[in-house]
Amino acid sequence: MSFHILVQQAVNGLVLGSVYGLIAVGYTMVYGIIGMINFAHGDVYMIAAYLTAIFLAALTLLGIQSPPLIILLVLLLTIACTALYGWSVERIAYKPLRHSTRLAPLISAIGMSLILQNYVRLSQGARSQGTPTLIHGSLRLFENGPDQFVQITYAQILIVVTAVIGMALLWYWIQATAMGRACRAVQQDRIMAALLGVDTDRVISVVFVLGASMAAVAGTLVTFNYGSFDFFIGFVIGIKAFTAAVLGGIGSLPGAMLGGLVLGLAESIFSGFVNTDYKDVFAFSLLVLVLIFRPSGLLGHPEVEKV
Amino acid sequence: MKRLEKYARGKGLARLVFALVFGCVASAQAGTVKIGVAGPLSGAQAAFGEQFWRGAEQAAKDINAQGGINGDTIELVKGDDACEPKQAVAVANRLVDFDHVTAVVGHFCSSSTIPAFEVYAEAGILSMTPASTNPMVTERGLSTVFRTCGRDDQQGVVGAEFVVKQLKAQRVAVLHDKDTYGQGLADSMKAHLATLGLKEVLYEGLTRGEKDFNALVTKLRSVKADAVYFGGLHSEAGPLVRQMREQGLNVPLISGDGIMSETFVTSAGGPKFVEGVFMTFGADPRKIPSGKTLVEQFRKGGYEPEGYTLYSYATMQAIAQAMRATQSREGVKLAAWLKANPVETVMGTKSWNAKGDLKISDYVMYRWTPAGKYEEVQ
């Protein structure tokens, strides 16, 4: 096992893990607040990929040439638009079901996911779509001979840096703002928070908007990195990110980030040193094992039954 | 409401008069032959489904213009399997039981074709795939199944010969997408590398639907692969080759007919990533003299008949010819005729062996150019 390959696999895992983490945040926040799994979240990520391509084309048509400016503008526009999607998904599919059984919003989430997938397929076509490469070049580290090196593309660096910044902003927002405090209060006890004057509906909307925004960041960055997407990309990555959220402890924000990283690294290392065929088997076995010994995930708190 | 009824009755009367006047003509044209066209019209492989449909549609139009089949016009019925085996069986049952088709052109993915063909064979319906290359399609002793393309074991021979003799590769990694088609192709490659005395350095499968193959690419680097063979489709081949190039792995990638679409360039993120990619495919049907006028006709209509378009056209021609010659629509009779007689198609003369495979396969190697087009390797 060479040093270069090990470091390269760690880099691969870190990049993949950052993407998982960004999407997992959306699952975990929604679960923390209303105790349901938003299965349409992966498709919000897919929509972000399409929006990225659309805004990219629009900005290029407007004559904007500088890549950093384009990336920033596309990111902001996609976040804004995707946030709107997150908000309306909650309004249409979950809010009317707020006081029904716990199963109803879950099914409605799966339905929402199918609606989003098919709506994109019908309106945008089923073919793979692509965007041109904006971020060229890569860094070569520890170079020592023709195939002894660690290669990191600038796009990968951008993914990790943006993910860290995004997570830090979110963390700050939860800890330091009034709305963040309201979020934490609703997470602890929704009825009590409502009695004490917190507008819980507004808090729930905000959480959906934030979750969708983080998925938008992931969707935009991944599109810039891989350059291709189709209407189905939300499914696999959504399941993986959901796994990451459960692994880290669903409901816990640092848990989602940790879960994403652990899953990304585990997949890369296993795939790199054992076998790619069984990568997903390994990832999900890992999840089962963690849940056997820590039923609430790595950083989760056991749910307290209120009397 | 009243007016509507009156209108309808008027129409009916007109039709009656028409039928009386053109009685003999009408009776001769009354019949239709229903032929199913099944393939991934939606889903990630929809690009191929579109090629199928375009080819079949044009063929039906042209055959109908020449008087149809023994006076009956061809009516096409679409079947969308989205490249999913479950859905393919449902589509097959629908085509047989509900639409009562007499023959089927399709399916595309071998994993769909294999179970669907069982349904057609049971109902005694002729089925011909323009694209499914897995050996199992024709290896199961079903008497009414055919294909107008080659087989994976033939593709594997061409691929292995090219890798060993032309590229002179020593350390070949063989990858696949764990699907019937992809793994079948990879297995055939592996087997023929072995007959040429080469053992692959890596044999692994990736997950369909994912986009991140960086870990696998790093592994390719760690085993020091000097050529990579991939059995699979363009939706995974594109990101794979891009990530290979981005990680500084500039070795050739060889694949089969699953990347035979310009969508491959899109999924690789642009033409600059497809350089150094090779693939096996039948000799370009667009260059065969018998297809020249048809190709021009397609291009005039603003459609480039790439990939399987002409295969699907030729399949339709073969079916029509068998029906004309036998004056029958029974699958068994049609099959017997096709196995005994060569057929003139837009892709030249085709003839079939007892299994339903083409007697002559014409796989050649293609290279993707930096302009995002493909050309034959001389």
Side-chain angles (χ1 to χ4, degrees), chain A residues 28-92:
Chain A
T28 223
M29 282 175 74
V30 166
Y31 184 86
I33 298 283
I34 53 175
M36 67 158 274
I37 312 295
N38 177 15
F39 276 114
H41 191 57
D43 298 294
V44 170
Y45 156 87
M46 175 270 295
I47 284 182
Y50 274 86
L51 289 171
T52 301
I54 292 168
F55 287 130
L56 190 63
L59 289 176
T60 320
L61 270 184
L62 287 176
I64 300 173
Q65 298 290 339
S66 122
L69 186 63
I70 289 191
I71 291 169
L72 190 68
L73 282 177
V74 166
L75 194 60
L76 292 177
L77 286 169
T78 311
I79 289 176
C81 225
T82 313
L84 200 64
Y85 266 97
W87 181 81
S88 31
V89 162
E90 195 267 332
R91 263 307 133 100
I92 296 165

Side-chain angles (χ1 to χ4, degrees), chain B residues 79-236:
Chain B
D80 178 16
D81 67 16
C83 190
E84 279 176 18
K86 290 196 295 272
Q87 205 167 323
V89 173
V91 162
N93 279 315
R94 200 202 74 208
L95 289 176
V96 171
D97 298 330
F98 180 75
D99 294 312
H100 300 292
V101 295
T102 18
V104 177
V105 176
H107 297 219
F108 173 72
C109 295
S110 292
S111 48
S112 299
T113 307
I114 291 172
F117 271 20
E118 234 154 80
V119 177
Y120 303 132
E122 216 164 86
I125 289 175
L126 182 76
S127 51
M128 259 183 146
T129 170
S132 291
T133 47
N134 190 284
M136 285 310 286
V137 171
T138 50
E139 284 291 335
R140 292 170 303 161
L142 304 174
S143 63
T144 54
V145 305
F146 289 85
R147 62 176 132 211
T148 38
C149 55
R151 288 164 55 117
D152 285 340
D153 27 16
Q154 298 164 337
Q155 259 191 97
V157 175
V158 178
E161 295 255 325
F162 179 77
V163 165
V164 172
K165 293 186 181 151
Q166 298 240 20
L167 297 177
K168 310 227 182 297
Q170 296 293 319
R171 305 182 59 82
V172 184
V174 179
L175 308 177
H176 58 84
D177 64 356
K178 301 187 219 172
D179 187 60
T180 313
Y181 162 75
Q183 196 164 1
L185 202 54
D187 283 343
S188 146
M189 180 71 185
K190 186 180 148 123
H192 288 287
L193 280 178
T195 59
L196 293 170
L198 202 65
K199 169 104 180 75
E200 76 282 353
V201 290
L202 183 74
Y203 180 84
E204 271 182 28
L206 46 80
T207 308
R208 249 165 118 172
E210 283 193 349
K211 294 276 178 219
D212 189 295
F213 306 122
N214 273 312
L216 189 57
V217 170
T218 304
K219 197 169 187 180
L220 293 173
R221 276 176 51 197
S222 77
V223 298
K224 298 193 176 20
D226 57 6
V228 179
Y229 188 82
F230 176 65
L233 302 169
H234 57 68
S235 38
E236 279 74 42

Side-chain angles (χ1 to χ4, degrees), chain A residues 251-266:
Chain A
S252 148
L253 207 53
M257 302 172 197
L258 181 71
L261 284 182
V262 168
L263 192 68
L265 283 170

